Amino acid sequence: AWRRNRIPLMVDIGLGLLFFAVAKLTDLTTAALIGAAAGLVLLLVQRLTRIDLLGGLALFGIALLLLSAGLAMVFQSDDAVKYRSSIVGLVSATLFFADGLMGGHRLAMRLRRYLPYRGIDPARLGIGLGVLGAIMASANFAVAELASTDVWLFYSTFADFALSMVLVMLVFRYARGEALRDLAPRYRPESS
């Protein structure tokens, strides 16, 4: 799975770093617009070369980038760009959650093919990713509301990724039907 997904993962990290660099050098609105333009270019290159650059949800990801850029253009403020992650996250969460409730045959099924795990229930994966998206959107809103733009930029580029990785592992356990309570080590009294 790593061999199959290494290019889309590197491209995703590269897009995040591009957003961070442009935002530090200019402003958040410009970074959102450049991120969307880079996503469109990558989609075009992927279509022409048939190399999977964006993963199984390429069109979904590009649609979210365009929504993000549209919000940045309409509101033309750094605050709007900070909150757009929450808005886009809630849109994404709603779509995954609804897909999960309907059996996970669209978004979750496409994502499942990129996962290294066997036995993933697409309905549970969709529901889990919907809940994950809602949590991440809420966390982004809290940081955007309570912290400075620099703190938010650091959070959204680096800390957000670490938090989402921990939560996505919980989602995978849920999607595989494993109990989350099994994560905690059990206390076993020593026998005498």
Side-chain angles (χ1 to χ4, degrees):
W2 163 249
R3 215 175 15 248
R4 185 177 61 229
N5 295 318
R6 72 181 182 279
I7 293 173
L9 182 61
M10 288 187 292
V11 167
D12 195 37
I13 291 169
L15 281 173
L17 291 174
L18 174 68
F19 178 83
F20 181 80
V22 172
K24 287 301 269 182
L25 296 172
T26 60
D27 58 36
L28 296 178
T29 301
T30 303
L33 295 173
I34 288 177
L40 288 172
V41 168
L42 287 168
L43 182 62
L44 179 64
V45 169
Q46 178 173 298
R47 295 273 182 184
L48 294 174
T49 63
R50 302 282 187 216
I51 297 171
D52 186 13
L53 299 173
L54 300 169
L57 297 170
L59 292 177
F60 182 70
I62 296 302
L64 293 180
L65 277 173
L66 292 174
L67 174 60
S68 173
L71 290 170
M73 285 176 32
V74 168
F75 295 107
Q76 292 288 321
S77 78
D78 281 358
D79 285 341
V81 174
K82 290 192 314 190
Y83 297 124
R84 66 131 172 101
S85 296
S86 294
I87 294 167
V88 170
L90 287 176
V91 168
S92 174
T94 301
L95 292 173
F96 268 105
F97 193 78
D99 181 53
L101 290 178
M102 293 185 288
H105 299 296
R106 299 259 187 259
L107 295 173
M109 189 70 80
R110 287 184 180 177
L111 182 62
R112 186 177 78 165
R113 85 173 200 202
Y114 287 91
L115 300 176
Y117 304 107
R118 298 207 190 293
I120 288 191
D121 180 329
R124 290 173 71 102
L125 179 63
I127 291 168
L129 289 173
V131 171
L132 169 79
I135 291 169
M136 296 305 296
S138 299
N140 179 78
F141 181 79
V143 173
E145 187 70 22
L146 301 173
S148 69
T149 298
D150 281 339
V151 170
W152 174 84
L153 186 57
F154 176 81
Y155 168 79
S156 67
T157 305
F158 302 110
D160 177 74
F161 178 76
L163 176 60
S164 66
M165 285 298 99
V166 170
L167 294 176
V168 84
M169 297 317 259
L170 295 175
V171 168
F172 291 159
R173 288 185 66 85
Y174 170 72
R176 293 173 68 195
E178 298 172 4
L180 298 180
R181 71 183 184 304
D182 292 342
L183 289 174
R186 293 193 177 142
Y187 173 72
R188 291 192 174 105
E190 292 187 30
S191 56
S192 28

